[in-house]
Amino acid sequence: MNHTPRIRAVSCIALVVSLGVVATACGEPDRHPLSAAPYDAARQVSLNAASGATKVDPDKPLEVTSKGDGGRITDVTVMDGAGHYVAGELAADGVRWRSTAPLAAGVKYTVRVSTEDDEGAPGVRTLFFETAPAKTFLTAEFGPEAGTYGVGQPITAKLSHAVGEGKGRAVVERAMKVTSKPAVEGAWHWVDDKTLHYRPREYWPTGTTVNVTSNLRGVKVAGKLYGGPSKPLKITIGDRLEAVADAEAHTMTVKRNGEVIKTMPVTTGKPGFETRNGIKVVLAKQQFVRMRSTSIGIAEGSSESYDLPVYWATRITWSGEYVHAAPWSVGSQGYANVSHGCVGMSMSNAEWFFKTVREGDVVEVVNSYGDMMDTFGNGFGDWNLSWDKWREGSALVPGSEASNGNVTAVTARLRPTV
């Protein structure tokens, strides 16, 4: 019984001896250059952008250069306060790094430069500079106003300055983000050099929340034109409400979320004033409007002239096409087309339609002898273009990440090849 403590003591002594042998065998390792803390590389690198009060011209490329012999640049990171990187290229010999993407205007940047000396020891230098503000700004006014809309409502963007065809349009599209919940495929389409429309491939799903933002601020668009601040937009999408006016059957059928909720007798445009075919979107609602023939080019006093008080008027084109009450033509509704281009119905049906639909809801006219609805300029005829044709109006390459409104992250840190 007295042997147990001795055995334990011997075991402990053996363990200590063993550890001592191991420590003696390993010894103190040689220090590797990379194990040391980075040295201050202030004397080893220079930047062509002055720090301090002087503001840098954003049109000039940024250059980081290694000074002296025996050292080189291994890594460069240029980032603004929002976390956006500036892409660049590092020479194979590590002597120079040069930006390959334009700087933003009126932005503060942080430059972190990593180096190594001729023995491989790491160095680091952090510099700061600010770019001069732009003199000409491009802003975007998004539409419609915040609220709830129908499934056919496009997003619009009115630019403060014209942007001609070329790289500038791609810059604008990438910076203007449209995100939705649930997510859907969509794209911008250039209507003209100052106007864009955005729509999904199919109608917006019921209950969708749509957010529109611009990341253009400070971004170079073209020449001396830089992006400015733009107010974001948020809208929601209501029920899927679709109305189909059949000019041959003289009826309008209204569906909510795919289910028919009402079919009404109507009259559409008579010969010479045929209602336009195609998909249209509700633009506005007026409980009362005075309709005069002179507004559509019919001379006052002619056989086709009119001046009428009209109630429950739902507007679907800017040129004056409405769905409205037409009590004077009730006898023809469901049987003949006698209007000057509008869809006319009884007072009670027009009131019901007026109170049922909202802006952005879809009204389609079929089987009319009239022309097709204009795609742009007379309301929202956006849905009359196929998806392929719609995509042709984008400045981005179809199928790329950018075509969905996402900007691919660009790595600014490029190491030299050795």
Side-chain angles (χ1 to χ4, degrees):
M1 293 178 63
N2 295 330
H3 293 291
T4 303
R6 289 185 180 180
I7 293 172
R8 288 179 179 172
V10 171
S11 299
C12 291
I13 293 170
L15 178 59
V16 171
V17 171
S18 176
L19 290 174
V21 172
V22 172
T24 304
C26 295
E28 180 69 21
D30 294 333
R31 290 183 63 82
H32 191 280
L34 293 179
S35 68
Y39 62 85
D40 184 0
R43 296 182 179 181
Q44 192 177 349
V45 296
S46 64
L47 184 68
N48 69 335
S51 297
T54 303
K55 294 186 179 180
V56 176
D57 184 351
D59 287 330
K60 292 183 178 180
L62 186 67
E63 281 191 3
V64 181
T65 307
S66 176
K67 301 186 294 183
D69 298 328
R72 68 171 188 165
I73 299 169
T74 59
D75 195 29
V76 177
T77 302
V78 182
M79 186 172 63
D80 66 16
H84 301 133
Y85 290 98
V86 176
E89 291 180 347
L90 184 58
D93 58 7
V95 171
R96 179 178 290 102
W97 180 94
R98 183 183 177 93
S99 63
T100 57
L103 299 173
V107 171
K108 294 180 179 179
Y109 285 97
T110 300
V111 184
R112 182 181 174 85
V113 185
S114 297
T115 67
E116 63 183 18
D117 63 16
D118 54 357
E119 295 181 356
V124 65
R125 187 184 183 191
T126 303
L127 308 102
F128 306 92
F129 72 94
E130 184 176 355
T131 53
K135 295 181 180 179
T136 306
F137 292 104
L138 177 73
T139 59
E141 181 182 350
F142 297 123
E145 295 180 354
T148 301
Y149 294 86
V151 298
Q153 180 65 49
I155 302 298
T156 62
K158 293 292 292 181
L159 304 181
S160 59
H161 291 78
V163 178
E165 294 184 4
K167 294 181 180 179
R169 289 193 173 186
V171 171
V172 171
E173 282 190 55
R174 288 192 185 100
M176 296 196 307
K177 306 286 189 179
V178 180
T179 57
S180 65
K181 188 176 182 180
V184 295
E185 182 182 5
W188 289 104
H189 185 106
W190 287 81
V191 177
D192 54 46
D193 58 7
K194 294 181 71 174
T195 309
L196 297 88
H197 286 189
Y198 184 100
R199 50 155 272 208
R201 184 169 189 162
E202 307 292 342
Y203 294 143
W204 297 105
T206 296
T208 299
T209 300
V210 185
N211 287 281
V212 190
T213 57
S214 171
N215 293 329
L216 269 174
R217 188 167 189 166
V219 175
K220 183 174 182 177
V221 178
K224 295 292 184 179
L225 182 62
Y226 286 79
S230 297
K231 183 180 178 181
L233 170 68
K234 179 180 179 179
I235 65 170
T236 55
I237 304 300
D239 287 341
R240 178 167 177 153
L241 198 142
E242 303 163 89
V244 178
D246 189 328
E248 186 176 45
H250 314 296
T251 60
M252 173 179 276
T253 300
V254 182
K255 293 182 180 180
R256 177 182 285 122
N257 299 326
E259 181 182 349
V260 175
I261 57 174
K262 195 174 184 69
T263 299
M264 301 167 284
V266 298
T267 183
T268 63
K270 62 185 177 181
F273 299 92
E274 293 89 349
T275 306
R276 298 171 183 83
N277 284 291
I279 301 170
K280 305 157 192 181
V281 173
V282 173
L283 302 173
K285 299 194 298 181
Q286 296 169 268
Q287 188 172 347
F288 171 81
V289 61
R290 192 89 189 177
M291 292 189 178
R292 297 178 174 86
S293 58
T294 51
S295 65
I296 60 171
I298 299 176
E300 186 176 357
S302 66
S303 59
E304 295 292 346
S305 67
Y306 57 86
D307 184 348
L308 297 169
V310 175
Y311 294 88
W312 311 116
T314 302
R315 188 166 202 152
I316 54 178
T317 74
W318 294 125
S319 63
E321 192 175 315
Y322 290 82
V323 177
H324 65 79
W328 54 85
S329 65
V330 168
S332 298
Q333 292 165 19
Y335 301 99
N337 293 321
V338 297
S339 82
H340 286 86
C342 291
V343 176
M345 54 183 63
S346 69
M347 188 74 79
S348 60
N349 283 335
E351 181 180 0
W352 176 89
F353 186 79
F354 182 95
K355 293 180 177 179
T356 300
V357 302
R358 57 163 54 97
E359 289 182 39
D361 284 335
V362 176
V363 177
E364 183 175 7
V365 176
V366 299
N367 298 324
S368 171
Y369 290 103
D371 295 333
M372 280 296 296
M373 168 69 173
D374 296 332
T375 308
F376 306 110
N378 193 21
F380 295 130
D382 305 48
W383 299 101
N384 294 303
L385 283 184
S386 68
W387 180 243
D388 288 341
K389 287 292 185 182
W390 182 266
R391 290 293 293 116
E392 290 177 6
S394 168
L396 301 176
V397 178
S400 69
E401 275 194 64
S403 68
N404 292 323
N406 300 317
V407 180
T408 304
V410 180
T411 301
R413 286 165 268 180
L414 302 174
R415 297 183 64 84
T417 56
V418 293

